[in-house]
Amino acid sequence: MLRQLFLFVVLLCSIIHSYGQGNLSKTVSVSMTRQPIHAVLDAIEHQGDFHFSYVREMVHADSLVSVHVSHKTVKQVLDQLFQGSMSYKDAGNQLLLQPNREKYFFVSGHITDGATGQPLHNASVYEGVQLISAMTNDQGYYRLRLRERDKDRPIPVMLTVSKELYKDTIMMVTGGYDQEISVSIKPAAPITLGIVDVNQYSRVSESWFGKVFLTSKQRYQSLNLSKFFADQPYQTSLLPGLGTHGKLSSQVVNKVSLNFIGGYTAGLNGVEISGAFNIDQKDVKYAQFASLFNVVGGKMEGVQLSGLHNQVMDSVKGLQASGFSNMTAKGYKGVQLAGIFNVSTGETRGVGAAGVFNVYWKDHYGVMAAGIGNMTRAKENGVQAAGVFNVGVRENGVQAAGVFNAADTASGVQVAGVLNIARVLKGVQVGVVNYADSSDGYSIGVVSIVRRGYHQLLVYNTELLPLNLAFKSGNKKLYSLILAGANFAEGSRAYSFGYGIGKSFKDYSVEVSEQNLYLGSWETMGTLARLQMAWNKELSRHTRIFAGPALTLYFSNNEPGVEGYKTRVPGPYGAFRFNDNMKFWFGWHIGFSFF
């Protein structure tokens, strides 16, 4: 009896096991690279000991695929192979493959104003899961084609009606059949209208690029759906609105975005590539590439490259490079590179380099380098380097230009090939001509003018030349001297000209100068290097007398001995010789200064 019961249980388990081991549950291993689908199916047939039944055109049997699986069920391999596009039916020794046929239904109707009853045009009606949308026409009419999510039983679908300055309205629709639903929507409360930033991302659609490259319906869509955004793994498009997300592409944030000509999306959290342009309403991370231009309504973090132009309406953190120009509304942290110019209206930290000029309207910390010029309107704490000019408001770093620098307040260094200008100088100016309204710094140049500083004309006598003139300009910390001297006596004629700098103390001053001494021959001119001190005494409001000692080094190849000119330097005063070409002596100077 026990033996018969044992045999019955074994037989029953075998039957159950055999039933559970249908063709879809059989285990196979397949490793094939770039082989036709029919070859993969043949391999599965051979291992599972059954036959597939299908229409070659419907399964695209000649398409090349790569499959690498080990000890997976037939169903798991087929799911990987067809990605849900086929259904399977087990029929004895055969496995039928049939394409899935999706079922669709239509919803249409009219949208009206809840207060006036008038039709509303350009209202958006959308389904957020399937990303299907439509806009009403002039009569307020809309029509949507929706996919049935469950073939066996209808699942309710939630539709949302949105329009700028109106309250969002939700409609629950039972799927499975075509139907008509009309609804009235109410204007938003006045308190909502007072929120300035309610459509903060609409600035892209209302920008110049938005008006040129987006249709009016796409711009209305962005305004209507400013609060609705969805996330998707990827999208592809030919043009804005013509892609995998259809009319709702502007409200979708993607991880991968591929635009063959141009795309208009909500944002990016991965990589975006375009054959011409990318337009994104919100933030963009991490890499964006376009052959023409990129426009971002939010923040940009990562790398942004374009052949023509990049524009970010918030801030940039990373690298922004284009062949023509870059523009940011709230500054950047990183590097801006442009073939022509960079513009930033916010705080910037990093490097800005352009072939023509950089323009920053707020604080800049870093390096601005341009072939022609740089301009800042706020504080500059870094380096401005330009081939022609630099213009800043508060310069705390370095301005270096081939022609001129200008700053309202210069607390750093200004170096120019020609001219430096500052309203208030607290740092250092180095140039041929330096100008400042007021100065508490240092100006080094041929002519250094401080409007509220020194402007003095000096007339004095020295041990070498009886008549000397000098123009002093700058401030007490450092002033410049333009020097000229002469001896008109027959047989002792001599002329000098040169440049010097000096520093003024309470009652005395110290000056260093270099002058050329002309004694009848330009080819044998000597050079005077002179250090002198002077005691100053005020005689009147505009006149002072000064006097003091001097030490002079004289360099000359030979004594020229030109008739009518001085033949002995320094004259009757003794000199100490280093060699035949260099000597020095102690002298004096005395004179008057007028200011």
Side-chain angles (χ1 to χ4, degrees):
M1 187 70 177
L2 291 175
R3 183 179 180 183
Q4 290 177 346
L5 181 60
F6 176 76
L7 292 174
F8 174 76
V9 172
V10 171
L11 179 61
L12 181 61
C13 291
S14 299
I15 293 172
I16 295 173
H17 180 73
S18 298
Y19 181 80
Q21 283 291 315
N23 294 324
L24 289 172
S25 301
K26 293 180 178 179
T27 301
V28 296
S29 296
V30 181
S31 181
M32 304 180 73
T33 302
R34 294 189 58 78
Q35 295 297 318
I37 289 180
H38 69 80
V40 177
L41 296 177
D42 290 343
I44 296 173
E45 285 180 346
H46 180 73
Q47 293 185 49
D49 194 24
F50 63 88
H51 298 285
F52 284 108
S53 178
Y54 58 89
V55 178
R56 292 179 63 92
E57 289 74 20
M58 290 185 176
V59 301
H60 305 288
D62 294 324
S63 298
L64 300 180
V65 295
S66 297
V67 179
H68 300 280
V69 296
S70 178
H71 301 293
K72 299 290 185 181
T73 64
V74 172
K75 185 179 185 306
Q76 289 175 321
V77 179
L78 294 178
D79 287 343
Q80 179 179 335
L81 195 62
F82 295 111
Q83 297 292 315
S85 64
M86 305 292 292
S87 61
Y88 329 119
K89 186 174 182 181
D90 207 336
N93 197 39
Q94 289 192 357
L95 191 60
L96 306 180
L97 302 181
Q98 297 175 330
N100 283 328
R101 300 188 181 277
E102 293 182 314
K103 185 179 180 181
Y104 293 90
F105 65 97
F106 291 90
V107 178
S108 59
H110 290 81
I111 307 299
T112 57
D113 187 308
T116 65
Q118 295 297 314
L120 287 178
H121 69 284
N122 289 331
S124 298
V125 184
Y126 67 93
E127 200 283 320
V129 176
Q130 300 182 34
L131 296 179
I132 304 297
S133 71
M135 295 191 73
T136 58
N137 60 16
D138 292 340
Q139 288 74 44
Y141 177 78
Y142 74 92
R143 188 169 188 262
L144 287 175
R145 179 176 180 261
L146 299 171
R147 184 174 64 252
E148 190 68 67
R149 289 187 288 173
D150 193 321
K151 294 179 292 183
D152 299 326
R153 60 184 181 88
I155 297 178
V157 176
M158 185 175 70
L159 299 181
T160 303
V161 182
S162 294
K163 183 171 174 60
E164 187 186 20
L165 305 183
Y166 284 81
K167 291 182 178 180
D168 287 357
T169 302
I170 296 175
M171 302 184 296
M172 294 302 297
V173 178
T174 302
Y177 62 94
D178 297 347
Q179 51 200 290
E180 185 170 327
I181 300 178
S182 297
V183 67
S184 296
I185 61 176
K186 298 179 180 180
I191 189 173
T192 304
L193 300 180
I195 300 175
V196 176
D197 203 32
V198 67
N199 286 331
Q200 59 177 319
Y201 297 116
S202 66
R203 44 192 180 180
V204 168
S205 61
E206 295 305 304
S207 67
W208 182 87
F209 285 97
K211 292 178 179 179
V212 171
F213 292 94
L214 303 177
T215 66
S216 59
K217 286 187 176 294
Q218 289 169 335
R219 300 203 304 273
Y220 275 120
Q221 184 91 300
S222 298
L223 294 172
N224 293 339
L225 307 183
S226 61
K227 297 180 181 179
F228 169 75
F229 295 101
D231 295 311
Q232 290 292 318
Y234 70 92
Q235 78 92 27
T236 60
S237 70
L238 180 64
L239 289 168
L242 186 60
T244 53
H245 299 329
K247 298 176 182 177
L248 278 182
S249 63
S250 62
Q251 309 307 121
V252 179
V253 178
N254 305 282
K255 293 185 182 298
V256 177
S257 179
L258 178 61
N259 305 307
F260 292 98
I261 296 178
Y264 179 37
T265 64
L268 178 71
N269 194 23
V271 179
E272 185 170 48
I273 301 174
S274 174
F277 64 88
N278 297 306
I279 301 177
D280 295 78
Q281 289 197 71
K282 297 176 64 180
D283 299 343
V284 168
K285 301 176 182 179
Y286 289 92
Q288 190 179 49
F289 309 97
S291 61
L292 291 182
F293 65 85
N294 296 302
V295 178
V296 176
K299 299 177 181 179
M300 169 66 208
E301 292 187 19
V303 177
Q304 188 179 50
L305 304 178
S306 71
L308 186 64
H309 176 70
N310 293 311
Q311 183 172 354
V312 178
M313 298 181 180
D314 198 284
S315 59
V316 172
K317 186 177 181 180
L319 170 64
Q320 190 180 43
S322 73
F324 184 79
S325 60
N326 297 304
M327 298 180 66
T328 64
K330 295 184 179 180
Y332 74 90
K333 293 181 180 181
V335 179
Q336 266 192 330
L337 304 174
I340 303 296
F341 68 91
N342 296 307
V343 176
S344 177
T345 57
E347 183 176 301
T348 61
R349 295 175 182 269
V351 178
V356 178
F357 62 87
N358 298 301
V359 180
Y360 297 142
W361 296 139
K362 291 202 175 177
D363 295 354
H364 177 263
Y365 303 82
V367 178
M368 296 172 64
I372 293 182
N374 297 303
M375 299 176 65
T376 58
R377 221 185 234 177
K379 185 183 295 183
E380 168 63 45
N381 286 329
V383 177
Q384 283 186 319
V388 179
F389 70 89
N390 295 304
V391 177
V393 175
R394 286 188 294 167
E395 173 61 51
N396 291 336
V398 177
Q399 283 186 320
V403 179
F404 74 91
N405 297 305
D408 183 79
T409 301
S411 300
V413 178
Q414 286 185 315
V415 180
V418 179
L419 174 65
N420 292 306
I421 299 174
R423 188 179 65 84
V424 178
L425 176 64
K426 296 181 179 180
V428 179
Q429 289 179 320
V430 180
V432 177
V433 179
N434 300 304
Y435 173 84
D437 278 355
S438 62
S439 175
D440 193 32
Y442 301 90
S443 297
I444 303 172
V446 176
V447 178
S448 297
I449 299 173
V450 179
R451 189 170 67 87
R452 299 178 184 176
Y454 285 171
H455 304 93
Q456 299 182 20
L457 177 64
L458 283 67
V459 180
Y460 59 98
N461 178 275
T462 71
E463 80 285 353
L464 183 63
L465 299 173
L467 177 61
N468 295 271
L469 299 175
F471 176 73
K472 180 191 294 187
S473 62
N475 61 15
K476 64 179 182 180
K477 285 188 174 181
L478 185 69
Y479 55 82
S480 63
L481 292 159
I482 298 177
L483 307 163
N487 186 345
F488 298 106
E490 186 63 33
S492 297
R493 284 182 294 172
Y495 305 95
S496 71
F497 56 90
Y499 171 80
I501 58 174
K503 179 177 177 60
S504 178
F505 297 90
K506 184 176 180 181
D507 295 321
Y508 65 95
S509 60
V510 178
E511 298 170 351
V512 177
S513 64
E514 186 274 335
Q515 301 177 66
N516 292 309
L517 184 63
Y518 177 75
L519 299 177
S521 173
W522 292 104
E523 296 180 356
T524 58
M525 277 198 307
T527 300
L528 298 166
R530 189 172 177 92
L531 171 64
Q532 58 191 29
M533 297 180 62
W535 169 79
N536 299 277
K537 176 65 176 177
E538 185 174 322
L539 298 179
S540 67
R541 182 179 178 184
H542 299 292
T543 307
R544 286 183 179 181
I545 186 172
F546 63 89
L551 171 65
T552 302
L553 292 175
Y554 180 60
F555 304 87
S556 176
N557 290 331
N558 57 5
E559 298 290 345
V562 178
E563 185 177 355
Y565 286 84
K566 180 185 286 287
T567 58
R568 183 182 175 189
V569 177
Y573 307 98
F576 302 93
R577 288 184 175 272
F578 287 105
N579 52 48
D580 292 339
N581 298 324
M582 184 171 64
K583 64 181 74 170
F584 74 95
W585 65 86
F586 293 97
W588 47 266
H589 67 137
I590 184 171
F592 297 91
S593 62
F594 305 93
F595 53 94

